[in-house]
Amino acid sequence: MGGSRALSLSSLCAAAAASRSPLLASHHRARHLRPRLAAAMSSSSSPAPAPGAAPSASSAIDFLTLCYRLKTTKRAGWVRRGLQGPESVADHMYRMGVMALVAADLPAGVNRDRCVKMAIVHDIAEAIVGDITPADGVPKEEKSRREKEALDQMCALLGGGSRADEIRELWMEYEDNATLEAKVVKDFDKVEMILQALEYEKEQGRDLEEFFQSTAGKFQTDVGKAWAAEIASRRK
């Protein structure tokens, strides 16, 4: 690829290494990741794809290499509570995707495939910025700005084109809570968290009431409300 990809990768390495998340910011991980990403970039000399073209094998692998961080970045809320073996961002997004796939009670007219796709990209920018939570004290607008900048860098690394455009569109739709699909996926985001909290309570003997309280009264759809009520009933 041309200079734009090289610039994107170097900035991604720097941003990822400087992330506010304690796990992402560790010297060991930054040192481990940077050479691998740099090698992935330097191995490609193919030109940038034309607008709308599919990403080349090289740009796709560069992108997926960066997405590896989603598998190793632990969800910050669980880390702060000292839970053993906390789930990763990728774990969280995967089960949300399964939720969208298996839900039999989605609202009429909802595009199920779009919900599945949205679930697996809604936290994708955390590969660079980490899992920023309210406890970090970052204003909502600043969090959104950082994540949007990271998303743009990731889409550039992918080489642009229709795949990058769809990822950006799905992410923005979720961020803006702009459609019924976005509302469903936002509910699944909360449902997945409280289901995970219930599982940790049972497995590790912890009281994680704060996570249930943080979602109370915030579900936007009937399916979200019904699934949250089911989880609550199993907690008693």
Side-chain angles (χ1 to χ4, degrees), residues 195-232:
L195 178 56
Q196 185 66 71
L198 174 63
E199 291 160 349
Y200 285 147
E201 285 187 331
K202 291 183 175 181
E203 293 170 357
Q204 302 186 30
R206 304 291 298 275
D207 180 1
L208 300 173
E209 173 66 18
E210 66 192 87
F211 293 93
F212 294 90
Q213 288 297 326
S214 71
T215 64
K218 296 182 179 179
F219 294 96
Q220 305 176 84
T221 65
D222 288 343
V223 61
K225 294 172 185 176
W227 286 24
E230 176 64 23
I231 292 169

Side-chain angles (χ1 to χ4, degrees), residues 5-203:
R5 276 188 62 211
L7 178 60
S8 294
L9 187 57
S10 62
S11 62
L12 297 185
C13 291
S19 166
R20 293 180 61 87
S21 167
L23 290 177
L24 287 175
S26 70
H27 175 70
H28 172 75
R29 288 195 178 188
R31 184 178 58 192
H32 177 68
L33 179 63
R34 193 178 298 110
R36 189 166 68 246
L37 288 177
M41 176 57 69
S42 62
S43 66
S44 173
S45 59
S46 57
S56 69
S58 178
S59 61
I61 295 302
D62 285 344
F63 179 83
L64 294 172
T65 299
L66 182 59
C67 287
Y68 167 73
R69 294 186 68 89
L70 298 168
K71 298 170 68 174
T72 59
T73 301
K74 304 303 182 182
R75 296 258 285 166
W78 311 131
V79 173
R80 287 193 178 92
R81 286 302 305 268
L83 291 162
Q84 299 174 15
E87 67 170 344
S88 70
V89 175
D91 293 332
H92 169 65
M93 292 196 296
Y94 170 76
R95 187 154 65 171
M96 283 177 60
V98 175
M99 288 176 173
L101 183 65
V102 305
D105 45 355
L106 291 177
V110 164
N111 184 322
R112 182 185 303 274
D113 289 347
R114 191 164 187 83
C115 289
V116 173
K117 291 178 181 180
M118 195 178 296
I120 64 173
V121 305
H122 81 285
D123 278 343
I124 199 167
E126 292 182 14
I128 295 176
V129 301
D131 184 14
I132 302 172
T133 71
D136 293 311
V138 178
K140 183 177 179 180
E141 295 77 11
E142 173 61 13
K143 176 178 181 290
S144 181
R145 186 199 66 77
R146 292 183 193 181
E147 292 180 345
K148 175 63 165 57
E149 182 178 84
L151 182 77
D152 288 342
Q153 291 175 316
M154 294 182 76
C155 289
L157 184 64
L158 189 58
S162 60
R163 297 301 84 219
D165 289 345
E166 183 176 25
I167 289 171
R168 183 182 289 104
E169 181 181 324
L170 288 163
W171 187 89
M172 288 301 303
E173 184 176 326
Y174 177 86
E175 182 75 2
D176 294 340
N177 197 27
T179 62
L180 189 52
E181 285 80 6
K183 296 180 191 307
V184 167
V185 177
K186 280 186 174 289
D187 276 5
F188 284 160
D189 181 53
K190 298 178 182 69
V191 168
E192 204 287 325
M193 183 184 72
I194 61 173
L195 178 56
Q196 185 66 71
L198 174 63
E199 291 160 349
Y200 285 147
E201 285 187 331
K202 291 183 175 181
E203 293 170 357

